[in-house]
Amino acid sequence: MPKILTVGEILVELIATTKGDGFHEPQPLIGPYPSGAPAIFVNQVGRLGGDAAIIGRVGDDNFGHLNIARLARDGIDVSGIEVAQGEVTGCAFVRYREDGSRSFVFTMAQSATAALSITGAGASLMESCDHIHIMGTALSASGMAEVAMEAVVRIKARGGSLSFDPNIRPEILDTPGLRARLDGVLDQTDIFLPSGNELFMLTGARDEASAIRVLLERGIREIVLKRGAEGASHFDADGRTDIAPLTVEEIDPTGAGDCFGGAFVTLRLAGATPFEALRLANAAGARAVTRTGPMEGSSTRAELDRFLADHETDY
Ligand code: ADP
């Protein structure tokens, strides 16, 4: 099976145990949970037995080592994670509002991640991996973006493939250079995994069918649209396949899309049909929302099979 590489932020998440808007008074918190969209994605690949690596940068502190230990435990090649002496690992403080939306305090821009650059270990992973998975967040900061774009160029030049999850919030779309980088990656994408409005933000189309047509005409082989609690859809030159959501109690939605993507990409690269990959990815996303902690809900194949056996009767 091809070795999968991703690039980007590795951080910890601390979650307020009370609901409300933001952090205006002392809050009881749980965590630290290992986190960062690319880290969650790659952890899901590893839990399914995929061969994967991540290029990232953490501080020489408990939070950094906690992440490295978790990823290594799940079989990820952590040789591309640089441990920066005297720097700190990024944190995300999260508090849920009563309506289920979230407010965040991030320290990523001040953390070791911000100074990511191409190291010898990173360069050698770009030579040994056959597939690159790009997260839009990795394109939003200059250091990470430079490494991510270099990985895209090198892996595609060797005939490798690319999956892309834009994972982008509208408020960062105006970041200088981001639009051009998103477009540059989209031009090289084989499997595109947008959710919600990202389809429209990146194509300029007004309806779903036009957006999908634009993307297929652009040369993207497969588009997998994540629809949260509504399930997911797959589009390619042969047409469209929908998958109904599994009925679950949503505890913590952070990481669902990353687990979905990790499962879909791993299974497709391992030779599963689009429908089988969609079915298991839909289960990986649904199972992820039932666990507290962004990376805590990533699943092994046995866990997904059991989860499907328990929930698929809902169809
Ligand atoms: P993202 O975090 O990228 O926006 P989504 O929230 O759409 O991703 O979640 C990814 C996938 O996980 C969905 O397409 C669906 O398959 C599954 N999923 C997410 N939330 C739920 C839910 N509440 N119930 C059932 N499945 C869910």
Side-chain angles (χ1 to χ4, degrees):
M1 183 183 145
K3 183 165 178 174
I4 300 171
L5 178 65
T6 193
V7 176
E9 71 276 17
I10 299 172
L11 45 96
V12 291
E13 186 171 303
L14 291 120
I15 307 171
T17 58
T18 62
K19 292 203 170 141
D21 187 33
F23 294 90
H24 308 290
E25 67 277 334
Q27 290 296 323
L29 299 161
I30 47 170
Y33 291 107
S35 190
I40 301 164
F41 168 89
V42 85
N43 183 258
Q44 177 58 87
V45 174
R47 295 213 89 203
L48 284 174
D51 192 7
I54 181 166
I55 297 178
R57 196 161 183 275
V58 295
D60 188 12
D61 53 21
N62 289 167
F63 293 169
H65 290 291
L66 168 75
N67 268 289
I68 293 173
R70 168 63 66 87
L71 293 173
R73 184 201 77 183
D74 288 325
I76 308 307
D77 176 347
V78 294
S79 63
I81 304 179
E82 186 185 352
V83 178
Q85 304 293 321
E87 296 184 39
V88 293
T89 303
C91 293
F93 296 86
V94 185
R95 191 171 182 212
Y96 282 87
R97 299 187 186 95
E98 291 295 344
D99 67 3
S101 65
R102 292 165 281 181
S103 52
F104 289 96
V105 173
F106 278 118
T107 67
M108 211 163 76
Q110 294 76 31
S111 75
T113 289
L116 189 69
S117 63
I118 300 174
T119 60
S124 85
L125 286 171
M126 292 177 197
E127 294 310 313
S128 62
C129 292
D130 322 284
H131 180 92
I132 174 82
H133 180 77
I134 294 293
M135 290 275 180
T137 42
L139 302 178
S140 63
S142 58
M144 281 193 289
E146 206 176 299
V147 179
M149 298 306 281
E150 186 64 22
V152 167
V153 168
R154 293 204 202 173
I155 289 176
K156 289 292 282 194
R158 286 191 295 103
S161 49
L162 188 157
S163 49
F164 177 34
D165 180 341
N167 195 21
I168 211 93
R169 298 183 305 279
E171 63 271 20
I172 66 170
L173 259 187
D174 292 334
T175 307
L178 179 60
R179 276 271 177 190
R181 291 194 284 260
L182 290 166
D183 265 339
V185 171
L186 211 45
D187 280 335
Q188 307 272 334
T189 296
D190 299 288
I191 303 175
F192 184 45
L193 299 136
S195 59
N197 280 339
E198 290 164 352
L199 199 57
F200 308 118
M201 275 194 271
L202 292 175
T203 58
R206 298 241 179 89
D207 64 278
E208 196 174 297
S210 317
I212 298 297
R213 204 170 40 249
V214 166
L215 292 165
L216 290 172
E217 279 167 5
R218 203 163 169 170
I220 296 173
R221 282 205 316 258
E222 299 182 43
I223 300 135
V224 192
L225 185 57
K226 294 170 282 172
R227 301 183 191 273
E230 313 277 288
S233 305
H234 178 275
F235 304 85
D236 63 13
D238 295 332
R240 165 182 181 154
T241 311
D242 296 310
I243 191 107
L246 301 173
T247 306
V248 293
E249 190 195 347
E250 188 173 295
I251 308 280
D252 180 359
T254 311
D258 310 321
C259 290
F260 179 104
F264 186 85
V265 170
T266 305
L267 289 154
R268 279 297 282 143
L269 293 181
T273 62
F275 178 72
E276 189 59 7
L278 190 63
R279 179 173 165 260
L280 284 150
N282 188 48
R287 186 170 180 275
V289 305
T290 66
R291 309 283 150 130
T292 299
M295 203 185 278
E296 309 311 302
S298 74
S299 309
T300 63
R301 179 62 195 248
E303 285 166 341
L304 288 185
D305 287 340
R306 222 169 21 246
F307 194 78
L308 278 165
D310 289 345
H311 292 80
E312 233 173 7
T313 47
D314 296 328
Y315 284 131

